[in-house]
Amino acid sequence: MHAPRHSLLLALSPQPAWADVQSALHPKGDIAAGIADMSWVMFIGAAIIFLLVLVLLTAAMYGPPRLRGLLGHRGIIVGAGIAFPVAVLTALLVYSLGFAPSLAGAGTPAARIEVRGEMWWWRVRYLDHDGQVLFETANEIRIPSGVPVELVLRSDNVIHSFWVPNLAGKLDMVPGHVNRLRVRAEGPGVFRGQCAEYCGAQHAKMMFEVQALSPADFEAWMTSQRQPAMEPSDDLLRVGRQQFMQACAECHAVRGTAAAGTRGPDLTHVGSRRSLAAGVLPNNVGTLAGWIAGSQHIKPGNPMPSFKLPAEGLRAIAQYLHSLQ
Ligand code: CUA
């Protein structure tokens, strides 16, 4: 585990509530820490040079004639106008290139997770060492903390951009191309991410969450997620499952049942997720029913129609989905 970075700077500024959740200035992972370091070096360096230029400019305009004559000297113009910028920019280039290899990462990652940008949500697939899919989930990425994790970023539709500011910089998801991002969370925590490339009507409602768990908790979670969906424990849930099969199975999968649709999110363990509709709603029976009935009202233009179901049927489906822990 690493000591928190920039402790002096943080000590001088009050820390807002969102700092640990979504902030590039409060890194909680290797890559984000490197980017934050680089940002501070550039910001402080640029601020010093800017002040220097202002001082020279003021001297050149209002200084005594002798000083103004000195500043108009050829040596100053060549030195400060050409040699200095070339030296500074070269140094910055070398510094930033030295940082680039750490983005790709070396060695075998502790987990490999494929994330696909959909319109407008995130398809998340956990892969084994051979790249085979272990299970699929959506809009929530759980990773083991303290170890390198490889995120395989793809898209089959338009360009999205994957961004979790506390862990890493932005990386685009480009159709027909695979981008790989190595992240390593310092410790357990919940980080918010969002799509950072305009991708259509609901780009602004395309969030996700990365939950960094201790490796033991992560293994336990993986084991539970690989299980098929729970069997309904009472009549209401059985009715809900039956209604779900009629209305939803065309587009959604629930492992362990006949529902195997792939257009929408896999709902095998949807009840265990913290939010719905890519971070738009908290996840409970009421919001599940609200989303099914008012999907087009909440995220207009998304591929899921709003379903006009009788109230009992809607409630039964929502209860059933909520039971899928
Ligand atoms: Cu996906 Cu913006």
Side-chain angles (χ1 to χ4, degrees):
M1 195 146 312
H2 287 221
R5 311 292 285 264
H6 314 299
S7 45
L8 179 65
L9 280 164
L10 288 184
L12 295 175
S13 60
Q15 181 150 324
W18 41 260
D20 286 337
V21 180
Q22 186 171 7
S23 166
L25 297 177
H26 301 82
K28 298 287 178 231
D30 287 3
I31 299 179
I35 292 172
D37 283 345
M38 197 187 298
S39 306
W40 282 116
V41 166
M42 293 201 182
F43 175 72
I44 293 170
I48 292 171
I49 292 171
F50 179 64
L51 283 176
L52 201 65
V53 168
L54 283 187
V55 168
L56 289 176
L57 189 66
T58 311
M61 289 171 76
Y62 305 110
R66 210 173 140 259
L67 182 59
R68 293 167 67 176
L70 261 178
L71 287 174
H73 204 269
R74 192 180 173 81
I76 292 280
I77 293 171
V78 172
I82 299 174
F84 180 72
V86 168
V88 169
L89 292 177
T90 306
L92 280 178
L93 181 67
V94 171
Y95 170 57
S96 59
L97 286 180
F99 175 66
S102 69
L103 290 175
T108 313
R112 189 172 277 138
I113 305 164
E114 178 189 279
V115 186
R116 284 177 183 259
E118 302 283 347
M119 292 169 86
W120 293 273
W121 56 282
W122 310 83
R123 190 186 296 274
V124 183
R125 289 170 166 163
Y126 287 74
L127 309 178
D128 67 10
H129 292 303
D130 304 320
Q132 297 298 310
V133 178
L134 295 171
F135 63 87
E136 182 175 316
T137 174
N139 303 325
E140 242 184 51
I141 304 168
R142 300 206 193 191
I143 59 172
S145 64
V147 290
V149 173
E150 183 176 85
L151 298 168
V152 183
L153 306 178
R154 297 170 181 266
S155 170
D156 284 336
N157 41 79
V158 297
I159 300 175
H160 304 269
S161 186
F162 182 90
W163 191 28
V164 199
N166 290 84
L167 295 183
K170 297 169 189 171
L171 193 56
D172 280 1
M173 303 167 126
V174 183
H177 182 79
V178 178
N179 273 331
R180 290 167 197 275
L181 181 66
R182 279 287 175 106
V183 298
R184 202 179 71 95
E186 273 172 11
V190 179
F191 312 109
R192 189 172 179 276
Q194 67 186 61
C195 184
E197 173 79 37
Y198 180 72
C199 55
Q202 296 301 332
H203 157 70
K205 291 184 178 170
M206 191 167 167
M207 287 77 79
F208 62 99
E209 206 172 68
V210 175
Q211 293 186 32
L213 307 173
S214 70
D217 287 351
F218 177 73
E219 283 308 318
W221 178 78
M222 286 278 281
T223 306
S224 73
Q225 290 288 307
R226 292 178 72 171
Q227 303 297 318
M230 279 179 207
E231 280 296 304
S233 56
D234 61 33
D235 284 343
L236 175 68
L237 299 183
R238 268 186 282 278
V239 170
R241 180 166 74 174
Q242 189 194 345
Q243 299 268 333
F244 175 85
M245 290 302 161
Q246 288 168 10
C248 321
E250 192 81 3
C251 294
H252 292 282
V254 173
R255 276 177 284 126
T257 75
T262 56
R263 284 191 66 196
D266 182 304
L267 301 177
T268 307
H269 296 288
V270 66
S272 70
R273 296 180 202 153
R274 303 204 328 162
S275 69
L276 293 178
V280 174
L281 301 167
N283 185 8
N284 56 53
V285 176
T287 53
L288 277 162
W291 172 252
I292 296 166
S295 161
Q296 287 303 316
H297 177 71
I298 296 164
K299 278 174 92 164
N302 93 81
M304 176 164 151
S306 297
F307 282 83
K308 288 194 171 57
L309 296 165
E312 311 82 65
L314 182 62
R315 195 166 72 91
I317 294 180
Q319 292 276 9
Y320 169 65
L321 291 175
H322 186 65
S323 78
L324 299 178
Q325 293 292 318

